[in-house]
Amino acid sequence: MARQPVFFNGLRSCLTASRKELSPHYRLNWQLRRLYSIQSQEDAIAKLPNIDPSALSITKTTTPKKLVPPEELVFGRSFTDHMLLIEWTASEGWRPPQIIPYQNLSLDPATCVFHYAFECFEGMKAYKTPNGDLRLFRPDRNMRRLNRSAERIALPTIDGEAFTELISRFVRMEERFVPATRGYSLYLRPTLIGTQRTLGVGPPGSALLYLIASPVGPYYPTGFKAISLAATSSAVRAWPGGVGDRKLGANYAPSRSREKRLSSKSVAIRRRRDRDRSGDDELLCLSQGERNGEENDVDGAAGWDDSGGGG
């Protein structure tokens, strides 16, 4: 007990003095204790329960939806009967997963996802083969990117194999929504959000991982044809050291206003070339390297994004 005041007095000196004024002893002591504190927290979280598919509970809907004919499907507008939910807390880890009827989420207005964008997601697809089998398209890569995205914004990571098993069970349960028409699929949207109720900024103490699904056809109104891109150098979506290679909702919203302005400017040009078209289909943001005619493949500047429409 006699040493305790000495430690806190020394720590107070470390916090108030400049780096040059600190003695080597106090600098090392402070750094080691800080590193030990961070490592202890990470070790504690790593020992918490991970996702357990065997603990899955299922509550089926009592009001099944009518199927939309494939030719009437609009991307992301129709949804299946159910959703998959898994809650996480910093004290309990991942709780038992649930499949429940599709419904609204109930979140406090102070939930951190609304204020500080603690949110990431994936875009996956399930297909029905000609003989009626169900197939997921390279889910391992989606799980890997989901974990990279989660790590980048201080959200909990997952056991990718366990979550893929749950997704497979979910898809089998919603099989009637998987279109059999060539070029059509069931779009899967895993989403991870921070759910702690706080206006303070820090790693969320609770989170929610959920999965919803939508039967889809082609993403663009042009169908399965080539699309028109509007390139811009006045907006940058990804940059070295940034989060362009993470699938964060915060990456998408800023590009929509620029896309809207470019699309409206291109209307007159496009109409002269094709009266059936009313603008470009998508915005292509050039990185700094591309502006200079160079390739830019720095971590954080780009990332594969070929998991399907909306992905």
Side-chain angles (χ1 to χ4, degrees), residues 250-291:
N251 283 339
Y252 288 75
S255 66
R256 297 306 94 178
S257 61
R258 176 64 57 178
E259 179 185 89
K260 184 177 179 180
R261 289 195 292 271
L262 285 174
S263 180
S264 62
K265 289 180 180 179
S266 67
V267 168
I269 298 175
R270 298 296 301 178
R271 281 177 178 171
R272 287 198 298 268
R273 293 170 54 187
D274 187 347
R275 293 183 179 276
D276 295 329
R277 298 289 300 278
S278 60
D280 294 299
D281 301 297
E282 190 59 87
L283 180 69
L284 175 63
C285 295
L286 303 179
S287 69
Q288 187 63 45
E290 290 168 325
R291 294 180 192 181

Side-chain angles (χ1 to χ4, degrees), residues 36-311:
Y36 176 77
S37 175
I38 295 174
Q39 189 63 46
S40 297
Q41 293 174 7
E42 293 178 348
D43 291 343
I45 292 177
K47 294 177 181 178
L48 293 173
N50 213 312
I51 294 175
D52 182 7
S54 67
L56 175 66
S57 64
I58 299 176
T59 304
K60 292 187 177 181
T61 183
T62 57
T63 56
K65 300 174 182 177
K66 293 183 179 180
L67 294 179
V68 178
E71 63 274 10
E72 297 179 13
L73 288 173
V74 178
F75 189 91
R77 299 291 180 85
S78 304
F79 297 94
T80 63
D81 287 333
H82 302 89
M83 61 195 298
L84 170 66
L85 298 176
I86 317 176
E87 294 181 89
W88 177 89
T89 67
S91 59
E92 300 178 34
W94 289 104
R95 293 177 175 174
Q98 308 173 66
I99 292 179
I100 62 173
Y102 188 97
Q103 58 191 265
N104 293 336
L105 299 177
S106 179
L107 296 172
D108 190 282
T111 302
C112 60
V113 65
F114 297 139
H115 303 273
Y116 306 116
F118 286 106
E119 186 268 353
C120 58
F121 66 95
E122 274 301 319
M124 307 171 59
K125 285 184 176 181
Y127 296 89
K128 184 173 290 185
T129 65
N131 60 0
D133 293 334
L134 299 175
R135 294 284 185 267
L136 294 176
F137 181 66
R138 61 183 187 192
D140 56 320
R141 295 192 67 179
N142 291 101
M143 297 301 102
R144 187 161 64 246
R145 185 173 61 176
L146 180 60
N147 274 332
R148 293 185 69 223
S149 298
E151 287 178 337
R152 188 65 171 84
I153 55 174
L155 287 176
T157 56
I158 62 170
D159 180 333
E161 292 185 2
F163 188 43
T164 299
E165 180 180 340
L166 288 171
I167 293 175
S168 298
R169 296 176 67 174
F170 176 86
V171 170
R172 288 196 296 269
M173 185 173 171
E174 305 287 67
E175 180 177 358
R176 73 186 186 95
F177 288 95
V178 185
T181 307
R182 180 179 176 83
Y184 289 72
S185 61
L186 183 66
Y187 184 77
L188 304 168
R189 173 55 66 87
T191 305
L192 178 60
I193 63 174
T195 56
Q196 184 172 355
R197 183 176 66 91
T198 178
L199 295 181
V201 183
S206 60
L208 174 66
L209 174 63
Y210 66 91
L211 172 74
I212 56 177
S214 172
V216 299
Y219 180 68
Y220 295 101
T222 53
F224 299 105
K225 300 178 182 179
I227 63 172
S228 173
L229 295 176
T232 176
S233 59
S234 61
V236 179
R237 184 183 183 277
W239 58 93
V243 292
D245 58 342
R246 270 66 168 181
K247 204 161 182 62
L248 312 180
N251 283 339
Y252 288 75
S255 66
R256 297 306 94 178
S257 61
R258 176 64 57 178
E259 179 185 89
K260 184 177 179 180
R261 289 195 292 271
L262 285 174
S263 180
S264 62
K265 289 180 180 179
S266 67
V267 168
I269 298 175
R270 298 296 301 178
R271 281 177 178 171
R272 287 198 298 268
R273 293 170 54 187
D274 187 347
R275 293 183 179 276
D276 295 329
R277 298 289 300 278
S278 60
D280 294 299
D281 301 297
E282 190 59 87
L283 180 69
L284 175 63
C285 295
L286 303 179
S287 69
Q288 187 63 45
E290 290 168 325
R291 294 180 192 181
N292 298 330
E294 304 169 353
E295 292 186 0
N296 193 337
D297 194 23
V298 181
D299 181 42
W304 68 273
D305 202 0
D306 52 1
S307 53

